[in-house]
Amino acid sequence: MNSSTSLVIDGKTFATAYQQRAAEYKALCYQAFNIARSRIEEFNRQRSEKPKAIMTDIDETILNNSAYQAHQLLEGKDYDPVSWKDWTSKGEADTLPGALHFLQFASAAGIEIFYVTNREENEREGTLNNLKKFNFPNADNQHLLLKQNSSSKEERKNSIAQTHTIVLLMDDNMNDFSFLFEKKNSDERNKVADSFSAYFGNRFIVFPNPVYGDGESSLYQ
C-alpha cells in the first residue's frame, strides 16, 4: 500500500467512524428530516394540478452503507464494483435516522416517493428487497429509477416532473440536485452552491456524507 492510498483509507476510517458513531451525524439526519416534514406540511396547503412527489436518492440519503465501507476498510480496501454489488444484493443496509418515519409521513399525506439512484439495473432486486424490508412507501419498480445511460439524474428528474409536481429533492450529492454542479472543480461547485442558497432547507434537503461523492472527486479533478 503506497502512502497516498494509506492517507485515503485513514481519512475514510475516521469518516466512517463519524457516520456510524457520532451523535452529531445522527442529529444532522434528524434535523434534515424535521425540516423536510415542515416543508411537506407547507406544500400540502398549496394546490397543484399534478400529483405531488418527493424525489429522493437512496445511498446515504435514506439507506446507510457505512457497514460496507467499514468492511472494506478492515480489508485494507476502498470501494470496488464487485464488492459493492455483493453488498447491495444482500439488501442489508440500515436506514438513516428519521428516514423511514419521514417518508411514511409524506406518503400518508398523499405524496408519492420516487427513488432515483445511481445503482445499476442489476442491483434492482437487492435494492427493492432492502426498501421493502423496512416497509418504505412506493417500494416498487415504477418508483425505483436506476442508472441507465448516465449518472446524471437530470433526465430522470424531468421524466417525473412531466406527471408530478416535485415538492422536495433529497440527496447527499450536489450534482443530483442540478446539472450545474456536474463536471466542476470544488471552487466552481461552491459558487453554484452560493447561487442556490435559497433552495437549501426549502426545496433541496441535503444530507451529510463524509465518506464519498462528487465533493471528493472534485477535489482531485
Side-chain angles (χ1 to χ4, degrees), residues 13-221:
T13 299
F14 176 82
T16 302
Y18 177 86
Q19 186 173 352
Q20 289 193 329
R21 302 294 298 168
E24 288 82 359
Y25 173 81
K26 181 174 285 189
L28 287 169
C29 293
Y30 283 132
Q31 177 176 264
F33 287 119
N34 286 342
I35 293 170
R37 185 182 182 111
S38 296
R39 296 288 78 77
I40 291 302
E41 291 171 343
E42 175 186 336
F43 294 141
N44 260 2
R45 292 193 291 268
Q46 302 172 9
R47 290 190 175 185
S48 172
E49 294 182 359
K50 295 184 287 189
K52 296 174 183 176
I54 290 172
M55 174 177 157
T56 181
D57 181 38
I58 291 180
D59 299 309
E60 278 47 76
T61 301
I62 61 170
L63 292 183
N64 184 329
N65 297 287
S66 61
Y68 163 78
Q69 186 69 32
H71 174 270
Q72 291 298 99
L73 290 168
L74 290 172
E75 295 289 322
K77 303 174 183 177
D78 198 359
Y79 164 88
D80 72 77
V82 174
S83 64
W84 173 254
K85 172 62 168 57
D86 180 62
W87 163 252
T88 59
S89 69
K90 296 175 181 177
E92 294 181 351
D94 201 355
T95 62
L96 255 69
L100 181 60
H101 288 162
F102 167 70
L103 289 180
Q104 288 177 337
F105 161 79
S107 178
I111 296 174
E112 286 186 60
I113 315 301
F114 286 88
Y115 304 95
V116 182
T117 173
N118 279 334
R119 292 188 178 194
E120 304 281 352
E121 185 61 41
N122 63 10
E123 298 174 82
R124 180 177 292 275
E125 182 179 0
T127 302
L128 282 175
N129 287 340
N130 208 154
L131 296 175
K132 290 177 180 178
K133 174 182 178 181
F134 295 104
N135 294 316
F136 275 100
N138 300 123
D140 54 42
N141 284 314
Q142 178 186 350
H143 292 86
L144 176 60
L145 305 183
L146 297 133
K147 184 172 82 170
Q148 300 299 325
N149 301 317
S150 171
S151 60
S152 174
K153 295 184 178 179
E154 199 70 19
E155 183 176 340
R156 284 169 281 175
K157 179 171 68 175
N158 291 339
S159 71
I160 297 169
Q162 288 179 2
T163 56
H164 292 72
T165 298
I166 302 174
V167 295
L168 277 183
L169 288 85
M170 308 197 315
D171 214 297
D172 64 301
N173 191 338
M174 302 306 296
N175 290 30
D176 298 337
F177 290 105
S178 171
F179 70 93
L180 295 174
F181 287 96
E182 296 175 10
K183 299 178 181 179
K184 301 286 198 306
N185 63 38
S186 58
D187 289 337
E188 292 167 334
R189 294 174 90 250
N190 274 290
K191 289 179 181 178
V192 177
D194 289 339
S195 72
F196 277 99
S197 61
Y199 285 77
F200 302 123
N202 186 9
R203 298 282 179 173
F204 296 170
I205 305 296
V206 188
F207 291 84
N209 179 359
V211 180
Y212 66 90
D214 285 289
E216 177 191 14
S217 58
S218 69
L219 295 173
Y220 308 142
Q221 299 186 43

